[in-house]
Amino acid sequence: MIAGTPEPPYLAVIFSSQRRPGDEGYGAMAERMVALAKEQPGFLGVESARDADGFGLTVSYWRDEAAIAAWKAHADHTVARRLGRDQWYADFQVRVCRVERQYGVGDR
Amino acid sequence: MIAGTPEPPYLAVIFSSQRRPGDEGYGAMAERMVALAKEQPGFLGVESARDADGFGLTVSYWRDEAAIAAWKAHADHTVARRLGRDQWYADFQVRVCRVERQYGVGDR
C-alpha cells in the first residue's frame, strides 16, 4: 500500500534485497519488523514489494536522521539484521535518501 | 537485480504504484520503458519489484536533476505515463530523493 507521507523534506531508506530460496523464519520476522518499525518515534510509513524471483524493495520513511539511527540501534532489529545478513539474503543494498519532492495520481 | 550505483550523492526516483487487474499492454510497455531509460544520459540504474497483489516499487537512479527532467520530458515516456495514469494504475506516488549514503552486504 502507498504510504501517506507528509510534505517533504523527510528521509527514505531504500532497502533492496535478493532473498535466498526457502522461508526459514523470514516471513514471520519481516512482519514483526514492520509492526515494530511502526511503533518507533519518527516513523512516517513503509512500502514493500517482492517479486516471484525473490527480489524485493522495502522503502521506509522517517522524520530525521535521529529516528533512523534509533531504529537501526533497536535490539530486536539488530538481531533481525544479523539473521538477514547471515541467512536470508543473498545480496542487499541500503540507500539513505532525503526526499525533496513528491506527487501522486491526483496531482499534475 | 540490485543496481550498481556510484558513490553518493546522486538522485533516486521512487515510483510506488498499485496496478489495476489485467495486463492491457502494461508488461510490454514497462519493459520498453526500462530499456529506453537505460539509454538516457545520466541514467545510473533501476530496481523494480511487484508483488502478487499488484503493488510495485520501481526505483531509478540518476546523476542529477537535469537527467530526471530530460527523461520526464521524453516523448515516449510521456505517452507511457499518460497510459499509466489513465489505464494501468489505480494509485501511484512519485518521490524524488537525494541519496546521501549507501552500504551493502559486503560492508559493515
Side-chain angles (χ1 to χ4, degrees), chain B residues 29 32-33 36 71-83:
Chain B
M29 181 67 95
R32 192 166 150 237
M33 285 302 113
L36 194 59
W71 172 231
K72 191 172 181 185
H74 191 292
D76 294 359
H77 187 206
T78 299
V79 169
R81 287 209 318 283
R82 188 174 314 130
L83 284 165

Side-chain angles (χ1 to χ4, degrees), chain A residues 1-103:
Chain A
M1 207 172 74
I2 293 175
T5 42
E7 282 300 300
Y10 56 87
L11 301 180
V13 180
I14 303 170
F15 178 68
S16 317
S17 64
Q18 180 60 53
R19 286 268 289 116
R20 296 185 195 281
D23 186 70
E24 310 290 343
Y26 169 80
M29 181 68 95
E31 278 186 31
R32 191 164 151 239
M33 284 303 112
V34 167
L36 195 59
K38 288 180 178 174
E39 297 173 2
Q40 303 308 305
F43 173 87
L44 300 178
V46 64
E47 298 171 344
S48 196
R50 189 170 300 279
D51 66 25
D53 297 328
F55 181 76
L57 285 163
T58 297
V59 187
S60 57
Y61 302 103
W62 301 89
R63 187 177 54 211
D64 51 28
E65 287 282 359
I68 291 174
W71 173 232
K72 191 171 181 185
H74 190 293
D76 294 0
H77 187 205
T78 299
V79 170
R81 288 209 316 283
R82 188 174 316 126
L83 285 164
R85 191 183 283 272
D86 293 347
Q87 297 184 27
W88 294 322
Y89 299 120
D91 194 10
F92 69 80
Q93 183 77 14
V94 177
R95 295 178 176 96
V96 182
C97 320
R98 181 165 303 273
V99 180
E100 298 185 336
R101 61 182 190 275
Q102 62 189 6
Y103 57 92

Side-chain angles (χ1 to χ4, degrees), chain B residues 27-91:
Chain B
M29 181 67 95
E31 277 185 34
R32 192 166 150 237
M33 285 302 113
V34 166
L36 194 59
K38 287 179 178 173
E39 296 172 4
Q40 303 308 305
F43 173 88
L44 300 178
V46 63
E47 298 172 344
S48 197
R50 189 171 300 279
D51 66 24
D53 298 328
F55 181 76
L57 285 164
T58 297
V59 188
S60 57
Y61 302 104
W62 301 88
R63 188 177 55 212
D64 52 27
E65 287 281 358
I68 292 175
W71 172 231
K72 191 172 181 185
H74 191 292
D76 294 359
H77 187 206
T78 299
V79 169
R81 287 209 318 283
R82 188 174 314 130
L83 284 165
R85 189 183 284 270
D86 293 347
Q87 297 185 27
W88 294 320
Y89 299 121
D91 195 10

